[in-house]
Amino acid sequence: MRRAPAGRAVALALVGLAFASAGHAQQVRFRGVGDPDLDARVLRFVAEGGYTLITADTTVALGDTLPGPVLVLRARLSIAGTVAGDIMAVDANVFVRPTGLVSGEVWNLGGGFYPSELARFEGDIEDHPLAPYRVDRQGSLFVIVGLAHEAEFVPDGLYGLGGPTYDRVDGLSVPLGARWLLPPLGRVRPTLRGRVVYRSERGAWDGGGFLELTRGRTSLRLGGERATHTSDAWVRADLFNSASYLIAGRDMRDYYQADRFYARLELRRSPGPWTLRPFVEARREDAGALRADDPWTLFDLDSVRPNRPIVEAVVNSVTLGAVADWRDGSSALDVDVQVELGSPGEQGTFACPVGDCPLAPGDLPEALALFAGENTFARITVDGAWESPALDDHRLRLGWHLQGPIGSDGLPFRRWSHVGGPGTLPTLGDAQRQGDRVVFVRSGYGIPLPFAVPPLGALELELVHMFGGAWSAAGDDRLDQNVGVRLHFALGWVRVVTDPDDFGEDVVVDVGVRASF
């Protein structure tokens, strides 16, 4: 066994003695009513005793072990080493570094929980950042206060401002919202949330709200909204799509406006390394076409890509789905499966938001016949991402988006999507392949390079392969592909791809910037 240096051993002994002394000298009490299900867990944790109490900022260094269970109250705990047992953090912040290991469960109540994707957890994680608790200190007495006996106002984001977006339909969209934590109804905790959004290009306001009733890990949400929607959010994240349009005038989404009213029942379960969220949602959607415009961009556009047309009609639908996340050491799997069963509520009107509809001539008559507001439909979508170690310290990555009709001839235009351009196959034109049937698969093999380049930092070379296509019932169902390499560095990446069927003739170079909030 390797012996620790004398100074380090003495320091560890003093830290352990300080923890033990704090646990004896300080007392913890619970007052008020918080979340009915979480209250019982807090009371049981405090009553069982035997925990290490942390009430001041603490770091568990790499190579150190903090015995559990651990109760963190209104303090910051950073874990680079090991916590041997459960962690309950109330009105606190817990950071788990890539080298961190927690051998028990983690409960975050009313604070922040920030785990690295490389950190290891052997128990379940219960993350409740909006749980109604705070911690008061009265000398050596710490009081966990449940706040549910009074309504609590919680603004979204920064002072109520959510993340803005920028696109060719709405220009700048700035959301403002908040939620109200209402007094409990027995074991049910109601939450009321509302938001408004200003759309600069259209000079319009929209928004909505919902009432959510939560009991334990089950929630029922009843809501309504008027908002701008898209079926192409899977292509690129909001931040990347907004930056792409602002800088280069390339918007990889098509949009429509809809008034929606919905009821959604969701369960949350955490068996082992899995987190499962099955749900069922009933929705009424009254959609209208939106015109693509030309908001200001850093580089002027020669033309504006039109939105897909839609049938302006009411569609009633029921969606069954589940979101599953799996984490095991340095491997991860995320899957989102949804099956939507829809039926028109009234006769619809075909609406092309600009005069030149972006459809192939053969698609338009078929689409008009199928989606004039008379046909029911069934749709399945499967999205996912998988990452795991490969040879040596290499990484294998896989992502996919699949969608299509089930037992019906086709889907409404508002459920169509596309392939082509940044985010999918760069060698194709933007949204070149369109349809209600979509296949797109992206794979990569990452190889860390044995050197760093200031100021880029550590480098990784990734071999990439992508294939996919989009088509309708009478369309071309061929699958195109791209191959290339991507160089990752601290602040972003540079990628070079080409079509292997026409190797070297059509080469695309693009760049990306990493950002987090």
Side-chain angles (χ1 to χ4, degrees), residues 312-459:
E312 295 185 329
V314 173
V315 170
N316 301 313
S317 65
V318 174
T319 301
L320 304 173
V323 179
D325 304 323
W326 175 80
R327 299 290 184 272
D328 185 15
S330 58
S331 298
L333 173 67
D334 302 299
V335 179
D336 183 346
V337 181
Q338 299 186 24
V339 175
E340 181 185 19
L341 310 175
S343 177
E346 62 182 34
Q347 179 70 27
T349 302
F350 181 77
C352 211
V354 293
D356 182 18
C357 290
L359 292 175
D363 288 340
L364 192 54
E366 171 212 9
L368 285 172
L370 284 174
F371 310 128
E374 300 176 352
N375 293 74
T376 60
F377 67 90
R379 175 184 71 136
I380 184 171
T381 62
V382 182
D383 291 275
W386 176 61
E387 182 172 350
S388 73
L391 298 174
D392 197 17
D393 56 351
H394 301 178
R395 303 291 296 177
L396 181 62
R397 304 180 180 100
L398 185 66
W400 60 90
H401 173 81
L402 312 172
Q403 74 168 62
I406 306 174
S408 59
D409 293 329
L411 302 176
F413 285 134
R414 67 185 82 170
R415 299 296 187 261
W416 284 32
S417 193
H418 59 242
V419 167
T424 53
L425 299 176
T427 60
L428 296 181
D430 293 356
Q432 180 176 330
R433 303 284 304 281
Q434 301 200 22
D436 56 357
R437 294 142 168 97
V438 179
V439 171
F440 180 72
V441 179
R442 176 193 297 110
S443 59
Y445 189 87
I447 306 171
L449 299 181
F451 55 86
V453 177
L456 300 180
L459 304 177

Side-chain angles (χ1 to χ4, degrees), residues 33 116 123 152 206 215 278 286 455 470:
V33 178
S116 165
E152 185 178 1
D206 61 27
R215 178 176 176 178
D286 187 359

